[in-house]
Amino acid sequence: MAVAIFEERGTATIGLRDKPKMQFGKARIKGQMDCVDESINTDSFLRYLQSRGWLKHHTVVRRTTRGSFIDGRYPHWTAVIKDTSEQSWAVDSWYEAGGGLPDIMPLQEWKRRGYRGER
């Protein structure tokens, strides 16, 4: 929920509203973010929360990717957190417009998804 609020307020403050997902070839539309932008913003925000001591049960770890064209998927990035049991979780805000709830799921499940731009 915090990621959605961060995005909603951020996009409102700078006067931009990105659409869910980014259509292939639309990278030059002002305000439209791709998965790299989204994952960097989410990772940065989660690291801020962590630095303030506000993440009690999770640690932010390195962003990761899935897909490589060769396997039938576009490359796609996500922020990642790890819980106290060492389970890694994807925090992927790309599929919804700024302010929408991010997909949060076990990283291994996230890695299996993504054919033809689908969740």
Side-chain angles (χ1 to χ4, degrees):
M1 185 68 157
V3 171
I5 293 168
F6 167 73
E7 284 195 357
E8 182 177 21
R9 290 186 179 171
T11 55
T13 299
I14 59 177
L16 298 174
R17 190 71 170 167
D18 75 315
K19 296 178 182 175
K21 304 196 294 186
M22 184 181 79
Q23 296 174 350
F24 192 72
K26 302 289 184 181
R28 295 184 185 201
I29 296 174
K30 184 178 178 181
Q32 186 61 44
M33 292 186 278
D34 63 15
C35 63
V36 176
D37 299 326
E38 292 279 357
S39 68
I40 290 170
N41 289 346
T42 301
D43 180 78
S44 297
F45 179 60
L46 291 170
R47 288 182 188 281
Y48 170 76
L49 295 176
Q50 181 174 275
S51 74
R52 304 291 296 186
W54 295 336
L55 292 182
K56 301 293 183 190
H57 305 287
H58 297 86
T59 303
V60 183
V61 296
R62 182 177 289 191
R63 294 178 310 120
T64 194
T65 188
R66 69 177 181 213
S68 63
F69 293 117
I70 297 168
D71 65 0
R73 301 180 295 170
Y74 291 117
H76 184 65
W77 285 86
T78 190
V80 181
I81 56 176
K82 188 177 280 191
D83 66 23
T84 53
S85 71
E86 298 298 313
Q87 169 70 49
S88 293
W89 297 83
V91 184
D92 188 353
S93 60
W94 182 73
Y95 285 98
E96 300 294 330
L101 293 175
D103 286 350
I104 301 175
M105 66 186 68
L107 186 60
Q108 290 306 82
E109 179 182 339
W110 181 88
K111 289 254 187 196
R112 289 190 297 268
R113 294 178 165 204
Y115 291 94
R116 291 187 278 292
E118 297 176 9
R119 284 185 155 132

